[in-house]
Amino acid sequence: MPFETRGARTDACIEILREIWTTGHLAAQKSEHFDLPGVRMMPTPPKPIPIIVGGESEAAKDRTARVGDGFMTLPHTADELLPIIADIRDRVVAHGRDAATFLINARCPQVDGPGLFAALEQAGATSVNVTLWPLNASLDAKLDAIEDFAQTVPAPYRQRRSEQ
C-alpha cells in the first residue's frame, strides 16, 4: 500500500468499522482504497466502540479531532504533553465536537509524583500510560518499581481505578 495514501485509507477504515459495528452489515464496496465483499457482523456491539487515533503529524491530529473518539499521544514528558493535549482539545472543539467526552491517553514515561497526574488530568487527559522500568529490568527491579509506583499514585486515582 502506498505510504502517501495512509491517511485516506485510515479515514475509510474508520467509516467501514463504524458502519459494521452500528448496522451489523456492510454492502460490497469498491473504492479507490478497498475492494470489499459484503459482510455481516452478528452480534453488533451493545454500545459504540471508541476509536482511538494516534500520530502527531498535522494530518493525524486533524483526523483525530475530526473522526476519532480519542487520541493516544506518543511518549513525552508531562511538560511536553500539556500543549499537545490542549492542541487536540482545541481541534476537537473547532470541529464542533464535545471535548468533554473525548478520550485522551497520555503516554508519559516520567513518574514524578502526584503533581504529574493532577496536571495531566486538568489538561484533559482521561488516562495516562507510564513506563515504570527500563527494558532489561530484572524481575526484582520490576516488582520494586511497581511498589514505588503504588506509593506514588495519589489515593483518589487508585480509588477511581478500583471502582471501574
Side-chain angles (χ1 to χ4, degrees), residues 78-148:
D79 288 340
E80 292 167 341
L81 283 167
L82 297 177
I84 293 168
I85 292 169
D87 178 40
I88 292 296
R89 294 180 71 73
D90 289 347
R91 289 172 189 250
V92 168
V93 171
H95 280 283
R97 302 182 66 211
D98 183 5
T101 61
F102 194 82
L103 305 170
I104 296 180
N105 178 262
R107 294 176 61 204
C108 189
Q110 79 185 63
V111 180
D112 63 1
L116 164 81
F117 296 99
L120 290 171
E121 180 180 42
Q122 187 170 5
T126 53
S127 61
V128 180
N129 286 27
V130 295
T131 304
L132 299 180
W133 52 76
L135 275 177
N136 297 324
S138 68
L139 177 59
D140 285 339
K142 290 176 182 179
L143 292 171
D144 289 344
I146 292 168
E147 182 61 34
D148 290 346

Side-chain angles (χ1 to χ4, degrees), residues 5 16 33 36 40 53 62 74 83 91 94 117 119 123-124 154-156 159:
T5 61
I16 289 167
H33 303 293
L36 301 172
R40 183 168 297 279
V53 181
D62 186 62
L74 295 172
R91 289 172 189 250
F117 296 99
Q159 181 181 10

